[in-house]
Amino acid sequence: MSDSNPSEFDIIQSFFSDLGHADGATQLGIGDDAAIVRIPVSARLCLSVDTVVEGVHFPAGTAPQHVAKRALGSALSDLAAMGAKASHFTLALTMPKSDSRWLKSFAKALHDMAVAFGVSLVGGDTTRGPLTVTVQVHGWLPPDKALTRASAREGELLVVSGTLGDAGAGLRCLQQALRDPNAEVDYLAGRFYCPSPRLLLGRQLLDCGSACIDVSDGLLSDAQHLAKASGVGLEIDASLIPLSPALQRLFPKQALELALTAGDDYELLFTLSESKFKALQSLSPVPVSVIGKVSGAGQQVSVKGYDLDIQQKGYLHFD
Ligand code: ADP
Ligand code: MG
């Protein structure tokens, strides 16, 4: 493309017409009024949409590759939390100007992540305005199974994947411009910029898990959603919450508070029986840690070993 400020048509053609995993399920992809996708026999369509806005979900001036990965990663995480097999996505991209260098990096990062997670881009919309990226993801579920927030039962273990608090700490590093070449800062910033949707774990949990939610708003906030949806209480033991070495070293005093209240980690929080947990431990593609248990009725989340009087329990957009 000769032009560095491509038109809407050029943008779609040059950057988005052949993006992501090349699957055989797309009957008609980008270019017509709508896409047509072949649906596996008797599958259920599982879908979700997520928007990231510059200045709200990521700092102004964030590099295009980070914007792309944050947008697709956070959207795919919702499919992971349902136990769905991700298949396709659409992209509504609003940007202040047409800039082919920005678009090239954005599309390359989006493509790499889409290939890594086996999803293909089948359509979208391109408009001018404040930088806003909306990704709608589609996936498949068997007809009789899904991981919802509503099926936790008393006596089950409460388990989380990976480590918590890293993305919140990464955002703090970025806000404080702690950008010295330092492996720990890079690690935490990477956890903010590039979520790892736990799709494989989610699919394993279809067979052995009960209730599941992804940790997008913060552990306490998301545990409360799960407790309420299931009509159970949850007891968290603060000493069991998995914290990365980088978080503990750079934020020794705030590590636990970040793990409890900061969002954007996109780990899975789920419940299952003790015997099923033992089996899962050896299979799971990511470390899984018991952080508490399901305690019966009450719909309350209690945290042993931490003062729960924390003002900000998670990010709420209109508070
Ligand atoms: P319409 O006006 O009929 O909605 P558009 O001109 O907006 O169509 O889009 C033309 C084609 O390009 C459609 O297939 C649409 O899905 C696709 N498209 C537009 N923007 C994007 C994008 N950002 N990413 C992927 N596909 C896109
Ligand atoms: Mg049309």
Side-chain angles (χ1 to χ4, degrees), residues 8 12 16 29-33 91 93 121-126:
E8 181 188 333
I12 299 165
F16 299 127
I30 289 169
D32 217 302
D33 291 312
L91 167 73
L93 176 61
L121 181 63
V122 294
D125 201 17
T126 305

Side-chain angles (χ1 to χ4, degrees), residues 30 51 78 125 155 224:
I30 289 169
T51 294
D78 282 322
D125 201 17
Q224 264 151 10

